[in-house]
Amino acid sequence: MLDRIWSRYRAAGLDEAAAAVAAPSPEDLCYLAMLAFSDERYADAAAFADRAAQASPGDLLCCAAAAHLARVAREGKRNVYVSAEGFAAFIRGGGNVPLYRETSAALAGQYPEAPFDLLDIGAGDGMALLPALTPAVRRVTVVEPAAPLLERCAAALSVRGVEFEAFGGRLQELAADPGMASRRWAVAQATFCLHAIAPAERPALLRWARAHCDRLLVAEFDAPRMDEPLSPGTARHVLERYREGLAEYAGADLDTVAQGFLMPVLFGYVDRGAARTTFEHPIDDWAALLQEAGFARVDRRLLHRYWWAPAWMLAAR
């Protein structure tokens, strides 16, 4: 039915799309809510989601969407955003626990046994880095644009007695820094952060990495392209996956995670008024980019069948 709604929406707009379905299912109503949100018709989006929640009161996704969109309709879109509390509860709960456990183990398994210098791109607060550290890590360069996260990572490294340097910025700034022109690391790693770099910028940055490291470890999701987030296939994937993701937090943290992170992100996919900040795509594309950057060999390892998409590690050398 989503295909029919989409066809009518593109031909004649939201009202005709809604009228094309005599007895919409909860999924149809959630899809209509996404279309209405994209059209900035927030009251209509809230009404569609409320109907979905009433039709399926046990559906975590419908109920979370209804609560989120009711708040958007009441307070305005700009007052509903990802919260620090929501993200913290999300990243340290649910499927992220096994995801990061497996990621850290895979990183450590790729480290040389002899002493070496490590570059961590987009280190965050060290969630993947810190458990991966081995005695062979001689010095770490941590790159992170968010100052509070970088400070926490630096503090944790200091407590462990690990020699490090902290670079407050993005990979783009690091690559452009004259002081880094002659630097080289045995291993560079980037865990779930390269998708935040616009596709046009990636080839040059990966070539820079190839010139400055012997081995590059990339952890990313084998995700669908989100270039047309309202298309039926993509919307169906998003709704199915987010329903599964919410189920992993069906406890005390559910509302914090749903309203403080997952729902703002879900509806952010279809927000035409917001600049796009993530550019995910299939893991085959990441492997191809690494080969095009000059890496002779790219090995793959499945890390975890995460709710959003399978997570893989690519080891390029």
Side-chain angles (χ1 to χ4, degrees):
M1 190 61 71
L2 268 57
D3 294 274
R4 183 179 179 185
I5 294 172
W6 177 238
S7 178
R8 292 302 301 157
Y9 173 78
R10 289 196 298 174
L14 178 64
D15 294 330
E16 287 295 324
V21 187
S25 68
E27 182 182 54
D28 296 335
L29 290 165
C30 284
Y31 185 43
L32 287 166
M34 294 171 71
L35 294 171
F37 185 93
S38 183
D39 283 354
E40 299 184 333
R41 292 173 56 172
Y42 303 129
D44 290 323
F48 285 130
D50 184 63
R51 287 173 60 191
Q54 290 187 34
S56 186
D59 189 316
L60 296 178
L61 175 64
C62 293
C63 293
H68 175 74
L69 292 172
R71 186 176 163 203
V72 171
R74 183 175 64 250
E75 301 178 15
K77 185 187 69 176
R78 295 187 180 182
N79 293 326
V80 183
Y81 49 84
V82 171
S83 70
E85 296 80 7
F87 180 74
F90 167 75
I91 200 68
R92 285 183 161 75
N96 286 297
V97 175
L99 172 65
Y100 276 87
R101 181 179 64 239
E102 295 302 322
T103 299
S104 296
L107 291 172
Q110 290 287 336
Y111 291 168
E113 294 183 1
F116 72 98
D117 290 352
L118 172 66
L119 170 65
D120 193 324
I121 301 162
D125 63 0
M127 191 169 173
L129 167 67
L130 296 170
L133 291 173
T134 67
V137 178
R138 180 172 52 203
R139 180 181 175 85
V140 184
T141 302
V142 287
V143 181
E144 172 56 47
L149 297 180
L150 185 61
E151 289 173 5
R152 289 203 291 271
C153 185
L157 289 168
S158 295
V159 168
R160 291 177 177 231
V162 178
E163 186 178 349
F164 71 94
E165 59 182 326
F167 185 90
R170 303 176 301 160
L171 176 58
Q172 292 91 322
E173 283 86 49
L174 182 78
D177 189 326
M180 296 292 171
S182 61
R183 293 290 303 278
R184 189 169 183 84
W185 297 266
V187 179
Q189 63 191 38
T191 53
F192 311 112
C193 64
L194 293 186
H195 61 255
I197 298 174
E201 298 181 83
R202 291 175 187 171
L205 290 171
L206 291 175
R207 287 195 298 271
W208 180 91
R210 174 65 188 90
H212 290 266
C213 72
D214 298 325
R215 183 179 307 179
L216 175 61
L217 307 176
V218 175
E220 280 294 346
F221 296 108
D222 188 14
R225 292 181 181 84
M226 298 296 292
D227 298 330
E228 187 59 86
L230 286 170
S231 67
T234 303
R236 192 175 290 112
H237 175 87
V238 168
L239 293 173
E240 290 174 354
R241 297 295 88 209
Y242 271 70
R243 182 175 285 107
E244 183 174 329
L246 284 164
E248 295 186 355
Y249 297 89
D253 288 334
L254 176 60
D255 190 63
T256 300
V257 171
Q259 302 307 319
F261 185 70
L262 287 178
M263 290 301 100
V265 172
L266 187 158
F267 286 97
Y269 291 139
V270 299
D271 186 350
R272 291 175 179 161
R276 188 172 176 183
T277 58
T278 60
F279 306 86
E280 291 183 298
H281 51 60
I283 204 69
D284 286 347
D285 291 9
W286 285 112
L289 282 170
L290 291 168
Q291 290 171 333
E292 291 166 7
F295 289 98
R297 176 176 173 180
V298 180
D299 297 322
R300 306 186 190 197
R301 172 178 172 176
L302 178 65
L303 295 174
H304 180 62
R305 294 196 177 280
Y306 192 65
W307 62 266
W308 168 241
W312 290 78
M313 176 167 288
L314 301 177
R317 63 192 79 186

